[in-house]
């Protein structure tokens, strides 16, 4: 390995270790160790150590790693003195809760649709107007003395109808709930605060209304100034495809061409292709660049490539990067494509590995925060896999026809090198991904080329473009059907649980060993490496969870959700809507390595609080699902739940009084199925689980005489009847809410019960050895993100 390559790797490594204690100091220490080894007699016995690299070089390499860590820290966005997040903190510190506020600013991006069906966009704030009302939105404008000048980027979400017609550059006022994002409050939860900080934002607003200030309406012509905004071009292009092909075929073709980040695809469709292992076809990166470059070189059959033609090809690639949004993965692929064109013009063979490292270093020098972009990580690792492993895998598949062996080898090579990061980020792997990728590679290539041609034709000659796009409806529909079919296979996505940094490092060391060391490159030893990787990835987590008994109350707002795990078996009880299931429960199950729920208990009869169970059933089989007896006619949600449970070979039944549900060391007894009220026994622990019932119902429960003292109480946070608390005499109580009823705290204090609140403490986990522990202490209002 050459000196420049080692320095480049040291720079990348310095960025990667930024979040570890000590950061780049570890690399500086490693450089000093290598310098000492190079100066000693041991160096003669290490053939892989280049003798031309002097001891001083290794010290310099260590310093490069340290400087990379410091450089990332320097480039990490921090809120300015006038940032809107600091204004929120000052108001909260002064005890002035912002119940409703208006943020004035400039729209900084075209809006996109979130998984919950709202519109999101970036807003460059200029003014904050606090509205002093406790009962609802104020009709009159707020007093001017409550307005203050602010700066900073705000993440805005509003109802979809409110965002209709919004375009970048417009001045608007967004009225709604202003907030500062928190760190994850649940195991496996998305770090929203870190996501915003990387984008230079430290505040968000959940808007109710959007009002345009200047009232200017930009023309909709393709040739207007707004048409040269890539966001608007992408939007018009996708709208044209949807108009011709229908939905979701048109939107999916737009995602094939431009990537899913540029197109608003339904969340269910994205989840389906992730489970099928085909998420890469929706990520604009190297695949589209290879297709464009292949078509260009196929049309320009001139060798050697003239410099003018190479420049033209570079402009073509630059145009695609501009149109696709210049995300890190697309930019990386575009730069490597330009390197290939330059090499062909200079009649030189391009060193793919060296070009990849050079492009990565240059991009990270420009923006070191891209090192944490998952799209960039997957793009780089997939390309590395293609460069170093695809040929070796294809040789092992020589018994297959060439048209089959090459796609399968490419899919396997790219997948193998991205699996460790996939485990680290998503806690699961797609079992059938390589097979699905190999079977669809030619299919997707043809659709991408045809889609690109149709997209260009739509812009230049709409009738021709519409005719071409209409011919792609059935092939696109077939691809969608194939993805859904693969995703429906048993075990299409297997959760393995969270892995540590050490496990991640060992997995990549095994891959490097197969790549670099001849002993590992023999086919009969690949199986040993695969088994070793499987043990490293799954073994530690499986051993840690095998005999463990835990209970976790998830932070799901005002919707209670309790998960009891006994080894690999899980009992899930509570109520939740779609966002709770999508963003809280399912990530938690993946982080815990749960692929099957043993017992599920629905603790709400409201359809909006039961939709989450339907989403869980779609992705996780539930062996035994117990439901509250319905007091009204069954809704569509109820019927869908029954059908989904039975389709996945689960048993559905109603709760009955006196019934006991058993799962290993956990016993759940039904006191009242309507309230609902249940007791949970975990060894010597006895807990009372209470649904969202009134104080009158609680008094009736206390009068039955069936209640006895318990260790703890879990309820949604509504008012508690003193008679019920006196009968239970809990030592602790957990409220699944952000806003506690005012009478609860003094009532529990009189019983000397310790109070937890998920809205303040985050998820709360109990283990037999450690008792209760909160995932998140209350963040002080003046603490910077």
């Amino acid at each position: 390995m050459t000196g420049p390559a080692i320095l480049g790797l040291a720079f990348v490594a310095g960025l990667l270790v930024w979040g570890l204690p000590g950061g780049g100091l570890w690399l500086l220490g490693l450089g000093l160790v290598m310098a000492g080894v190079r100066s000693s007699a041991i160096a003669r016995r290490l053939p892989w150590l280049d003798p031309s690299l002097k001891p001083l070089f290794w010290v310099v390499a260590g310093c490069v790693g340290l400087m990379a860590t410091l450089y990332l820290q320097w480039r990490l966005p921090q809120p300015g003195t006038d940032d809107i997040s600091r204004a929120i903190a000052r108001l909260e510190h002064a005890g002035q809760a912002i119940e409703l506020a208006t943020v004035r600013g400039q729209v900084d991006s075209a809006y996109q649709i979130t998984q919950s069906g709202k519109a999101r966009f970036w807003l460059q704030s200029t003014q904050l107007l606090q509205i002093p009302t406790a009962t609802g939105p104020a009709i009159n404008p707020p007093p001017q003395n409550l307005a203050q000048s602010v700066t900073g980027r705000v993440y805005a979400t509003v109802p979809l109808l409110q965002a209709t017609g919004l375009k970048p550059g417009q001045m608007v006022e967004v009225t709604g709930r202003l907030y500062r994002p928190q760190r994850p409050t649940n195991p496996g939860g998305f770090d929203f605060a870190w996501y915003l900080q990387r984008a230079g934002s430290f505040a968000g607003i959940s808007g109710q209304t959007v009002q345009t200030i200047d009232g200017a309406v930009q023309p909709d012509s393709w040739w207007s100034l707004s048409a040269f905004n890539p966001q608007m071009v992408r939007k018009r292009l996708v709208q044209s495809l949807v108009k011709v092909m229908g939905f979701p075929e048109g939107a999916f073709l737009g995602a094939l061409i431009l990537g899913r980040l540029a197109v608003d695809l339904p969340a269910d469709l994205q989840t389906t292709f992730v489970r099928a292992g085909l998420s890469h076809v929706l990520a604009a990166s190297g695949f589209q660049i290879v297709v464009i470059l292949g078509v260009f070189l196929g049309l320009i059959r001139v060798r050697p490539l003239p410099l003018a033609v190479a420049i033209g090809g570079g402009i073509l690639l630059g145009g695609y990067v501009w149109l696709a949004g210049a995300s890190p993965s697309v930019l990386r692929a575009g730069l490597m494509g330009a390197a290939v064109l330059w090499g062909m013009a200079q009649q030189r063979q391009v060193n793919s590995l060296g070009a990849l490292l050079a492009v990565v270093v240059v991009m990270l020098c420009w923006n070191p925060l891209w090192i944490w972009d998952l799209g960039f990580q997957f793009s780089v690792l997939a390309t590395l896999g293609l460069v170093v492993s695809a040929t070796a895998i294809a040789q092992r598949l020589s018994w297959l026809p060439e048209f089959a062996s090459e796609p399968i080898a490419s899919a396997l090579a790219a997948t193998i090198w991205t699996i460790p990061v996939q485990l680290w980020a998503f806690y699961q792997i797609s079992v059938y991904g390589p097979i699905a990728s190999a079977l669809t590679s030619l299919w997707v290539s043809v659709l991408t080329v045809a889609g690109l041609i149709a997209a260009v034709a739509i812009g230049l000659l709409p009738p021709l473009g519409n005719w071409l796009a209409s011919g792609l409806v059935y092939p696109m529909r077939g691809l969608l059907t194939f993805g859904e079919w693969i995703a429906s296979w048993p075990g299409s996505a297997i959760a393995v649980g969270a892995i540590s940094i050490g496990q991640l490092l060992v997995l990549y060391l095994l891959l490097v060993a197969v790549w670099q060391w001849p002993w590992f490159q023999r086919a009969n030893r690949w199986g040993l490496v695969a088994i070793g990787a499987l043990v490293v990835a799954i073994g530690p987590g499986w051993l840690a969870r095998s005999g463990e008994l835990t209970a976790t109350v998830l932070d799901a707002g005002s919707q209670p959700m309790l998960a009891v795990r006994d080894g690999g078996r899980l009992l899930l009880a509570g109520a939740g809507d779609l966002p709770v299931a999508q963003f809280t429960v399912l990530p938690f199950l993946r982080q815990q390595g749960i692929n099957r729920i043993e017992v599920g208990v629905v603790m709400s009869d409201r359809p909006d609080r039961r939709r989450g169970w339907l989403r869980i059933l779609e992705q996780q089989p539930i062996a035994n699902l117990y439901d509250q007896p319905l007091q009204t006619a069954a809704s569509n949600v109820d019927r869908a739940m029954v059908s989904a449970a039975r389709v996945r070979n689960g048993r559905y039944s109603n709760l009955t009084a006196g019934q006991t549900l058993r799962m290993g060391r956990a016993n759940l007894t039904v006191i009242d199925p309507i309230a609902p009220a249940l007791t949970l026994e975990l060894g010597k622990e006895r807990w009372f689980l209470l649904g969202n019932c009134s104080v009158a119902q609680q008094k009736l429960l206390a009068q039955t005489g069936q209640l006895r003292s318990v260790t703890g109480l879990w309820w949604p946070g509504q008012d508690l009847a003193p008679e019920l608390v006196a009968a239970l005499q809990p030592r602790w109580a957990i409220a699944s809410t952000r806003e506690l009823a005012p009478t609860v705290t003094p009532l529990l204090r009189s019983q000397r019960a310790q109070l937890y609140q998920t809205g303040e403490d985050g998820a709360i986990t109990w283990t037999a050895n450690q008792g209760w522990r909160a995932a998140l202490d209350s963040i002080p209002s003046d603490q910077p993100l």
Side-chain angles (χ1 to χ4, degrees), residues 277-278 280 378 381-383 385-386 389 393 407-423 429-438 508 511:
L278 294 172
H280 61 278
F378 283 126
L381 290 169
T383 304
L386 291 173
S389 301
I393 295 176
I408 293 175
S410 299
L412 284 173
T415 301
I416 289 170
W417 280 84
T418 56
I419 280 179
V421 170
Q422 184 179 353
L423 293 177
I429 56 174
S430 300
V431 178
Y432 311 115
I435 300 175
S437 297
Y508 275 112
L511 289 174

Side-chain angles (χ1 to χ4, degrees), residues 218-219 221-230 232-233 236:
Q218 299 181 7
S221 169
W222 274 85
W223 303 107
S224 65
L225 290 176
S226 64
F228 292 98
N229 185 319
M232 305 310 298
V233 174
R236 289 188 177 92

Side-chain angles (χ1 to χ4, degrees), residues 15 18-19 67-80 86 183 191 193-202 364-373 784-785:
L15 299 179
W18 167 78
M67 294 303 295
T69 300
L70 299 176
Y71 176 57
L72 193 151
Q73 181 64 40
W74 177 61
R75 290 290 303 275
L76 189 68
Q78 298 294 336
R86 296 191 183 275
R183 299 300 181 191
D191 196 339
W194 174 235
Y195 167 77
L196 291 190
Q197 185 175 8
R198 297 202 316 267
S201 175
F202 303 89
L364 294 178
C365 285
W366 176 262
N367 186 352
L369 294 174
W370 282 343
I371 194 70
W372 302 113
D373 184 275
L785 293 175

Side-chain angles (χ1 to χ4, degrees), residues 332 336 340 349-359 383-384 386-388:
R332 188 230 30 105
M336 287 200 68
V340 171
Q349 183 70 31
V350 176
N351 183 337
S352 300
L353 200 58
L356 176 62
L357 180 59
V359 166
T383 304
L384 177 62
L386 291 173
V387 171
V388 305

Side-chain angles (χ1 to χ4, degrees), residues 268 271 275 493 554 556 559-563 570-590 594-603 609-625 637 640-641 643-646 648:
D268 293 344
T271 301
R275 292 180 63 85
L554 298 173
Q559 304 180 53
M561 192 64 71
L562 170 68
L570 187 92
L571 181 152
L572 187 67
D577 55 17
L578 282 176
V580 167
Q582 186 73 27
F583 304 115
T584 301
V585 178
L586 290 173
F588 170 78
L589 296 179
R590 289 192 290 266
I594 299 296
N595 293 286
R596 180 176 180 269
I597 298 172
E598 186 75 20
V599 178
V601 180
V602 183
M603 296 182 63
R609 296 292 180 92
R610 300 161 63 86
R611 293 183 185 275
W613 280 99
L614 186 58
R615 174 57 57 86
I616 295 169
L617 280 164
E618 292 172 354
Q619 298 191 26
Q620 289 275 356
I622 301 179
N624 301 281
L625 181 63
V637 175
M641 283 176 53
S643 176
R646 291 174 178 169
R648 309 201 69 170

